Amino acid sequence: MTTEPDSFPRRHARTQRFTLGAPRSFTVAPEGSRVVFLRSRSGTDRANALWVLDLAGSAERLAADPRALLGGATEDLSPQERARRERSREGGAGIVGYATDTAVELASFALSGRLFTAELQAGTARELPTPAPVIDPRPSPDGRHVAYVAQGALRVIGAEGEGDRALAEPDGESVSYGLAEFIAAEEMGRSRGFWWAPESDRLLVARVDDTPVRRWWISDPAQPERDPQHVPYPAAGTPNADVRLFVIGLDGTRTEVAWDRARYPYLARVHWSAAGAPLILVQARDQRSQLYLAVDPDTGTTRMVHADEDPIWLDLFPGVPCWSPSGQLVRIADEGGARRLAVGERPLTGAQLHLRAVLDVSDDDVLVSASAGQEAAAPETGEVHVYRVNELGVERLSEEPGVHSAVRAGDVTVLVSATPDRPGATVRVLREGKPVATIPSYAEDPGMSPRVTLTEGGARRIPCAVLMPRDYHSDTPLPVLLDPYGGPHGPRVVAAHNAHLTSQWFADQGFAVVVADGRGTPGRSPAWEKAVRGDFTVSLDDQIEALRDLAKTHPLDLTRVAIRGWSYGGWLAALAVLRRPDVFHAGIAGAPVTDWRLYDTHYTERYLGHPAESPQAYAKSSLITDDGLSAAAEPHRPLMIVHGLADDNVVVAHALRLSSALLAAGRPHEVLPLSGVTHMTPQEQVAENLLLLQVDFLRRALHLA
């Protein structure tokens, strides 16, 4: 008897979107002898192990196996570790993160709240005796100590397991040392709370006091016997955590770093290397001004290295600020209408590139990732490439169309490339630009290739992806499903195969699927991204413009148009059916932000301002205020609202308040609560059935056979 193959929704859920088994988190030894990385053993195995690739013989070896280290026991994660993984959208298990010393000879990581180290050359791993639960262990640069956080205290232990002690212990009920506060991890891209000195004799340590932050209760009504979580959540316009920074020596000395915390309360970035004094980037609450400060670690005093101002907002970027080996400040800045790389006071790139991140800085060049800028010779819709930049010019290292990133040390570069015509990503190791090895992926093949066209729509040249059913071979117009995210930091129109798998599955159910990245999404210029300032609803305008323009050249049935989305995309889907029922005939709003006053400070105030100063911006972008509901037009359109009850990012109050407002207004809708589910929906059965239920709803709402 033959068994039916698993459906795409089931395989998609089981493989965590076909990411399990793919190598990730690369570190290159400074002398270029080996590459360290994480990878699980198969495309359905969630447990990542630590691996080493020795470049001399291109041989892989296992450095740490989580199942062996835990003796086969099931992982037991603390609430703090679960929260950290939720902030980073980490759905894996086993070793999900690690850190190394400078020589990349010693690695440390946490498993089930226990501290382990791995000798990367010897290939041995062992547990160190520490209090639990351990969070974010990091070796000192010289490999002689490991610092970590346990129960809110920053602690240190010898690499041989000796001398464990606390360097900083909580001095209040809501105080912790060495951890990133909620908005740093969720919105600033700063997941760390301590940094070793290059000499390994002291650390910079963040002290976070959540006392000022208002508390919310998050519970699971399906489990009434469980206590609810009492969590600090800094909603827009309310107090943030109080964040201070200290230099703490291994000998117990402690010096506070001084800056104008009242004017610049956000500690956005910290960098400490042998190239200069500790460097911090601090931001004003309105994010329109920021300072780059050099720290004297002996006295805690700071001096200004550079200051930025922007009338709209200042973005934060991965990899910067930092010092070049010669001691010059490396930063990314929006200047002259373009997003440029600057070393010292000299910009090294122009409007041809739109900088995304700094990947590495050497004596000779800066390695960056960037997309084509507004003055690029030809559009490269959805592409991101790796470039070498120096005073002599710009050289592109990634060749084929796609989305590329890299990790580099010395003359060895690990180039990760996702392309439209190939599943997953290819990982190549280059030495002096020439391939010397590949790191295989064990990720499952999705078993289908998206029939996707990357294009532009409308007068604004909005980046778009159009997907048709793979068995469609006629000119008969198809019902349309818009499948956007549509907001800041969430590009969906990318030149990569796996990014379009779910959209293709929806297309194969009989839809023409359109994905559009309108203003506000990472694009070709700072002006494009900053066009949403004070008014998120321009995102909806761009979805409509792209849809109508694409209908001129694609078989789109504009009498049957639906929209689905998650998070910002969920808000956009609900906004579409409420405000523009003349265009949209059904919507699925997943984990939608319905009232931006309930979302966090750093994100929301960047775009809409402080709610006390810009109430009209919040009202216009809200789905449930008087302004929001009064703008809802006739006729009623079917709307499904989906939300995880355990979501601590976009809390379920958003969905419940929208449902209550719609009920009071007499507007029919459906609500699908997901018990025990957070913002990620990693559970296999939930993720699978969620896709199937959405298709069923769309067929009913659009009256499809």
Side-chain angles (χ1 to χ4, degrees):
M1 184 179 74
T2 60
T3 58
E4 289 292 323
D6 286 341
S7 67
F8 170 82
R10 174 155 295 200
R11 296 182 63 232
H12 184 260
R14 182 177 300 157
T15 61
Q16 293 192 356
R17 304 172 305 281
F18 302 97
T19 61
L20 298 180
R24 49 177 270 200
S25 306
F26 305 97
T27 303
V28 180
E31 80 286 358
S33 62
R34 59 193 169 277
V35 176
V36 185
F37 60 96
L38 299 177
R39 187 182 58 202
S40 63
R41 293 178 181 270
S42 77
T44 56
D45 183 3
R46 293 179 62 241
N48 288 289
L50 187 67
W51 299 81
V52 175
L53 170 65
D54 290 313
L55 293 180
S58 296
E60 284 184 11
R61 50 188 171 84
L62 184 62
D65 181 352
R67 290 187 175 88
L69 293 173
L70 293 179
T74 303
E75 281 188 279
D76 180 19
L77 302 181
S78 67
Q80 294 86 354
E81 179 61 22
R82 291 185 187 277
R84 273 173 49 85
R85 296 189 184 192
E86 183 71 21
R87 300 285 72 78
S88 63
R89 309 298 188 262
E90 173 60 68
I95 305 171
V96 299
Y98 68 96
T100 72
D101 60 354
T102 299
V104 192
E105 294 179 352
L106 179 73
S108 63
F109 51 90
L111 277 174
S112 281
R114 296 151 57 186
L115 174 56
F116 293 86
T117 59
E119 296 281 352
L120 297 175
Q121 297 209 67
T124 57
R126 63 172 176 165
E127 182 178 0
L128 301 186
T130 62
V134 168
I135 297 175
D136 196 25
R138 294 180 174 270
S140 57
D142 63 8
R144 297 176 60 190
H145 298 88
V146 179
Y148 65 97
V149 178
Q151 300 171 14
L154 180 77
R155 305 182 65 89
V156 66
I157 187 172
E160 299 298 320
E162 77 286 0
D164 181 80
R165 62 194 184 278
L167 296 181
E169 296 185 274
D171 46 341
E173 185 178 342
S174 299
V175 173
S176 65
Y177 283 89
L179 296 177
E181 74 276 21
F182 176 92
I183 55 170
E186 182 67 42
E187 308 297 0
M188 299 183 202
R190 176 172 66 78
S191 59
R192 301 175 55 182
F194 67 90
W195 300 264
W196 278 101
E199 300 81 13
S200 302
D201 60 342
R202 47 191 168 181
L203 305 97
L204 275 170
V205 183
R207 175 189 184 272
V208 174
D209 184 355
D210 275 325
T211 302
V213 183
R214 294 181 183 177
R215 262 52 179 177
W216 285 0
W217 294 97
I218 297 178
S219 63
D220 185 354
Q223 304 288 339
E225 73 280 3
R226 294 182 182 176
D227 289 337
Q229 291 180 275
H230 202 195
V231 300
Y233 190 94
T238 68
N240 282 306
D242 180 72
V243 179
R244 298 159 67 183
L245 190 65
F246 291 85
V247 180
I248 300 180
L250 294 183
D251 59 1
T253 57
R254 174 170 165 153
T255 305
E256 183 168 4
V257 177
W259 78 91
D260 185 355
R261 292 192 300 115
R263 177 71 181 91
Y264 300 95
Y266 289 138
L267 177 65
R269 294 284 185 270
V270 178
H271 167 77
W272 201 351
S273 70
L279 180 66
I280 63 174
L281 175 63
V282 294
Q283 273 193 337
R285 177 152 178 167
D286 65 9
Q287 298 172 63
R288 296 180 184 180
S289 61
Q290 61 188 20
L291 302 179
Y292 302 77
L293 302 174
V295 179
D296 183 332
D298 295 323
T299 65
T301 58
T302 56
R303 63 176 176 84
M304 189 174 72
V305 179
H306 186 83
D308 283 334
E309 292 188 356
D310 190 289
I312 304 176
W313 74 69
L314 291 159
D315 269 310
L316 300 171
F317 305 100
V320 287
C322 65
W323 298 119
S324 71
S326 62
Q328 290 184 292
L329 177 66
V330 181
R331 61 190 178 92
I332 295 175
D334 293 346
E335 296 175 349
R339 184 154 293 162
R340 306 170 187 267
L341 172 72
V343 177
E345 293 301 317
R346 180 176 178 179
L348 296 185
T349 61
Q352 289 77 19
L353 293 184
H354 187 67
L355 269 290
R356 300 293 186 98
V358 167
L359 307 175
D360 184 54
V361 183
S362 73
D363 290 313
D364 302 319
D365 61 29
V366 181
L367 197 69
V368 303
S369 66
S371 49
Q374 57 187 343
E375 294 183 10
E380 297 177 334
T381 302
E383 296 187 34
V384 179
H385 287 279
V386 176
Y387 298 84
R388 291 180 61 239
V389 180
N390 57 28
E391 294 183 355
L392 299 178
V394 176
E395 176 190 3
R396 195 168 100 175
L397 298 186
S398 49
E399 298 176 355
E400 54 190 337
V403 177
H404 307 266
S405 188
V407 174
R408 185 180 72 173
D411 62 358
V412 171
T413 301
V414 178
L415 182 64
V416 183
S417 302
T419 64
D421 57 354
R422 194 171 58 228
T426 300
V427 180
R428 291 177 293 165
V429 183
L430 314 177
R431 188 183 295 276
E432 296 182 345
K434 298 178 181 179
V436 294
T438 60
I439 299 179
S441 172
Y442 302 151
E444 288 200 358
D445 189 312
M448 69 173 182
S449 292
R451 184 179 173 181
V452 59
T453 301
L454 299 177
T455 184
E456 294 179 337
R460 293 190 181 92
R461 297 172 48 222
I462 298 164
C464 296
V466 182
L467 297 101
M468 307 300 288
R470 287 174 294 159
D471 60 358
Y472 175 80
H473 302 290
S474 74
D475 296 324
T476 305
L478 293 174
V480 185
L481 175 63
L482 271 69
D483 193 14
Y485 179 78
H489 305 288
R492 289 286 319 281
V493 181
V494 294
H497 180 283
N498 285 22
H500 302 288
L501 290 173
T502 302
S503 294
Q504 183 63 58
W505 180 78
F506 274 99
D508 289 342
Q509 311 312 304
F511 296 92
V513 177
V514 173
V515 183
D517 281 352
R519 287 169 291 173
T521 56
R524 60 184 70 90
S525 72
W528 177 268
E529 298 182 13
K530 295 178 181 179
V532 297
R533 172 68 184 187
D535 185 5
F536 279 147
T537 67
V538 301
S539 300
L540 179 58
D541 298 338
D542 288 357
Q543 296 295 315
I544 296 171
E545 178 180 332
L547 171 69
R548 288 176 169 168
D549 188 60
L550 292 171
K552 299 173 184 176
T553 53
H554 295 78
L556 309 183
D557 181 356
L558 296 188
T559 68
R560 296 181 294 176
V561 178
I563 181 171
R564 69 181 286 268
W566 194 266
S567 197
Y568 190 99
W571 166 82
L572 187 54
L575 184 77
V577 296
L578 292 175
R579 302 276 180 94
R580 295 302 303 270
D582 58 317
V583 177
F584 299 94
H585 308 95
I588 300 172
V593 180
T594 63
D595 183 349
W596 290 98
R597 294 172 301 181
L598 293 179
Y599 201 60
D600 71 54
T601 52
H602 194 269
Y603 181 98
T604 317
E605 293 172 14
R606 179 191 315 141
Y607 305 118
L608 299 182
H610 193 286
E613 299 167 0
S614 306
Q616 70 286 351
Y618 283 79
K620 185 173 183 180
S621 297
S622 173
L623 301 177
I624 63 174
T625 61
D626 289 341
D627 284 18
L629 280 180
S630 65
E634 299 294 338
H636 300 340
R637 296 300 190 189
L639 173 63
M640 173 187 276
I641 304 168
V642 185
H643 216 120
L645 299 181
D647 196 332
D648 68 350
N649 178 22
V650 182
V651 295
V652 74
H654 285 273
L656 297 177
R657 292 188 184 187
L658 175 59
S659 178
S660 296
L662 293 173
L663 184 62
R667 302 185 71 90
H669 62 283
E670 301 179 17
V671 178
L672 180 61
L674 307 177
S675 178
V677 172
T678 65
H679 202 58
M680 291 195 295
T681 65
Q683 296 89 337
E684 182 177 319
Q685 284 186 315
V686 171
E688 174 192 6
N689 290 324
L690 193 51
L691 288 178
L692 298 173
L693 288 171
Q694 289 180 67
V695 168
D696 176 70
F697 170 81
L698 292 172
R699 286 175 173 156
R700 288 188 285 112
L702 296 179
H703 308 291
L704 304 178

